[in-house]
Amino acid sequence: MKRSSWWLYTAGIAAYLFLYLPLVIVVVFSFNDSRLNAEWVGFTWHWYGVLFNDDQMIEAAWNSLLIGLVTSFISTVLGTLAGYAMYRYRLRLLPVLVLTPIAIPEILMGVSLLIFFVMINLTLGMVSIVLSHIAFCIGFVAIVVRSRLTGLDESLTEAARDLGATPWEAFRLVTLPLIMPGIVAGALMAFTLSIDDFVITFFTAGPDSVTLPLQIYSMIKIAVTPEVNAVSTLLMLLTLVLIVIATRLAPGAVRGE
């Protein structure tokens, strides 16, 4: 092996260890038979039992799941329409409006949404969180759908029109099934972003609307117990599964379609 290749492999391994070794430690210490994470004592499932009997954690998990499902559904519908409009009509203002929430820092978006909700006298709670997440996730769905449409063979839609299909029928029967993998990938991405979000949720959540990231944050301010590691492990597993599915369905991931 050449010296340059050896340094390249070493740098790559070091980078991956830096990224993933802390995650591995979190998973391992979720099975630690000790209340403190100072050292490994022994293997146990105790903390997963504690987790599933923690009413506050279960309520936060249900809140996050409900917010994620509603957010992914609405943002997928609006994001699909936005992505189709950006592809079909080449609008100049729409891409700026859709993609700006992605480009600006989350903390800036969270503060601006908080100010906006206060101005319109909207009580902070589940509704404000859902609206904030929708505004943040639409752009991601639109990007995925637009990318899918870019690789679409327009001759198929034209053939449907030549055979007598209306524009709506051509979209529903030809375009929509072809871009469905991109739509599903966008929905999974929106759900993942919503259920994992902390910064925007921190600014737009009310006192009675605690999500899973907020609950974890309130727990680690005191001490990082194995229960926190356990819920982090389950959340990490859910996120990884959704990311893998979204990657499989993303435009360009599936060949020979």
Side-chain angles (χ1 to χ4, degrees), residues 6-30:
W6 182 82
W7 279 107
L8 181 61
Y9 280 108
T10 303
I13 293 173
Y16 280 112
L17 287 175
F18 176 78
L19 290 174
Y20 294 107
L21 186 58
L23 301 180
V24 174
I25 293 175
V26 168
V27 175
V28 170
F29 273 86
S30 68

Side-chain angles (χ1 to χ4, degrees), residues 1 23 26 37 50 111 117 121 150:
M1 183 182 295
L23 301 180
V26 168
N37 283 320
V50 173
V111 172
F117 292 146
N121 293 322
T150 302

Side-chain angles (χ1 to χ4, degrees), residues 71 75 98-106 109 113 129-141 189-190 192-194 197 200:
T71 297
S75 61
V98 172
L99 303 181
T100 296
I102 300 177
I104 64 175
E106 282 192 59
M109 186 173 180
L113 287 170
I129 297 175
V130 169
L131 293 175
S132 302
H133 287 194
I134 291 172
F136 177 67
C137 293
I138 286 177
F140 291 94
V141 179
M189 183 179 297
T192 302
L193 292 170
S194 175
D197 183 78
I200 296 177

Side-chain angles (χ1 to χ4, degrees), residues 215-254:
Q215 180 66 22
I216 294 174
Y217 174 73
S218 65
M219 294 175 67
I220 64 175
K221 288 192 297 184
I222 301 174
V224 182
T225 65
E227 183 184 359
V228 176
N229 292 340
V231 68
S232 300
T233 299
L234 295 179
L235 185 59
M236 186 192 315
L237 180 62
L238 174 62
T239 303
L240 289 176
V241 170
L242 293 178
I243 290 176
V244 170
I245 297 175
T247 302
R248 295 287 184 179
L249 296 176
V254 180

Side-chain angles (χ1 to χ4, degrees), residues 170-229:
F171 174 79
R172 181 172 58 88
L173 299 176
V174 179
T175 304
L176 188 60
L178 291 175
I179 66 173
M180 186 56 66
I183 295 175
V184 175
L188 293 174
M189 183 179 297
F191 180 79
T192 302
L193 292 170
S194 175
I195 203 171
D196 283 348
D197 183 78
F198 170 78
V199 177
I200 296 177
T201 308
F202 180 80
F203 286 99
T204 58
D208 298 326
S209 54
V210 179
T211 62
L212 199 54
L214 294 180
Q215 180 66 22
I216 294 174
Y217 174 73
S218 65
M219 294 175 67
I220 64 175
K221 288 192 297 184
I222 301 174
V224 182
T225 65
E227 183 184 359
V228 176
N229 292 340

Side-chain angles (χ1 to χ4, degrees), residues 42-170:
F43 182 88
T44 182
W45 291 95
H46 170 72
W47 297 107
Y48 285 89
V50 173
L51 172 63
F52 289 115
N53 287 283
D54 189 335
D55 294 336
Q56 291 183 339
M57 189 68 75
I58 297 299
E59 181 182 359
W62 278 114
N63 288 341
S64 291
L65 182 61
L66 178 60
I67 292 170
L69 290 174
V70 175
T71 297
S72 62
F73 175 76
I74 298 178
S75 61
T76 298
V77 174
L78 298 179
T80 300
L81 296 176
Y84 184 80
M86 288 190 296
Y87 170 77
R88 180 66 63 187
Y89 302 107
R90 300 293 192 274
L91 302 175
R92 295 187 177 184
L93 181 60
L94 182 60
V96 176
L97 296 177
V98 172
L99 303 181
T100 296
I102 300 177
I104 64 175
E106 282 192 59
I107 188 170
L108 177 59
M109 186 173 180
V111 172
S112 62
L113 287 170
L114 173 60
I115 296 174
F116 174 73
F117 292 146
V118 172
M119 290 178 59
I120 64 174
N121 293 322
L122 178 65
T123 303
L124 298 182
M126 297 286 284
V127 175
S128 62
I129 297 175
V130 169
L131 293 175
S132 302
H133 287 194
I134 291 172
F136 177 67
C137 293
I138 286 177
F140 291 94
V141 179
I143 290 176
V144 176
V145 173
R146 184 182 181 184
S147 300
R148 186 74 182 183
L149 285 165
T150 302
L152 184 66
D153 188 358
E154 286 292 338
S155 62
L156 299 175
T157 305
E158 295 174 358
R161 296 296 307 277
D162 291 339
L163 292 174
T166 63
W168 166 245
E169 290 175 338

